[in-house]
Amino acid sequence: MHYRETMLWQKAMQAAREVYRLVPRLPREETYGMRSQITRAVVSIPANIAEGWTRESSKEKAQFLAIAQGSLAEVETLLTLCEDLGWFPPDQTRTLRGLLDEVSRMLTAMRQKRRNA
């Protein structure tokens, strides 16, 4: 199976699109701050899933999945800060939060499965 066919990668891509839908709401002065940070972090999730998927060794695969999980935690933290500062109303981040939760659960399950293999 190709990584593009996995629900994990597809959901991560959907989360990335959601972030790009939200970032225009950020203040202009955050173009090189929060906007740059959150978009880099969210793009890192599907990118690392894809890169890990194509690696030969289990150790390398696990490392890239761990990086994707870390990037996901970074996005959740930045999203919370944006909500706390009033830049993203929580009702407009609900879809993104749901996607991040799904991706996080899938990544955790995949990482546990690899450890137990």
Side-chain angles (χ1 to χ4, degrees):
M1 178 186 292
H2 196 274
Y3 67 85
R4 287 181 290 194
E5 297 170 2
T6 67
M7 188 61 66
L8 173 61
W9 183 83
Q10 291 171 11
K11 293 282 185 179
M13 288 293 288
Q14 192 176 352
R17 288 189 296 273
E18 278 296 307
V19 166
Y20 275 92
R21 184 183 64 76
L22 285 169
V23 294
R25 300 175 187 278
L26 290 170
R28 178 168 290 208
E29 62 270 12
E30 286 300 322
T31 298
Y32 301 106
M34 181 64 74
R35 183 181 309 225
S36 176
Q37 188 73 23
I38 199 168
T39 55
R40 279 195 325 265
V42 79
V43 167
S44 175
I45 301 167
N48 278 289
I49 291 167
E51 189 164 355
W53 200 266
T54 62
R55 296 299 174 135
E56 294 291 324
S57 80
S58 291
K59 187 176 180 179
E60 282 183 304
K61 287 180 190 295
Q63 178 64 27
F64 282 99
L65 292 177
I67 293 167
Q69 189 92 53
S71 293
L72 191 145
E74 182 179 359
V75 171
E76 288 177 327
T77 300
L78 297 168
L79 184 59
T80 299
L81 182 57
C82 287
E83 290 170 341
D84 290 352
L85 294 170
W87 293 339
F88 296 162
D91 65 314
Q92 294 179 4
T93 60
R94 198 166 292 121
T95 299
L96 177 57
R97 289 252 182 225
L99 287 166
L100 293 172
D101 183 57
E102 283 183 81
V103 172
S104 180
R105 284 186 279 116
M106 286 188 246
L107 276 170
T108 298
M110 187 173 284
R111 291 176 68 207
Q112 286 176 341
K113 184 178 175 183
R114 290 201 173 282
R115 277 193 295 267
N116 296 334

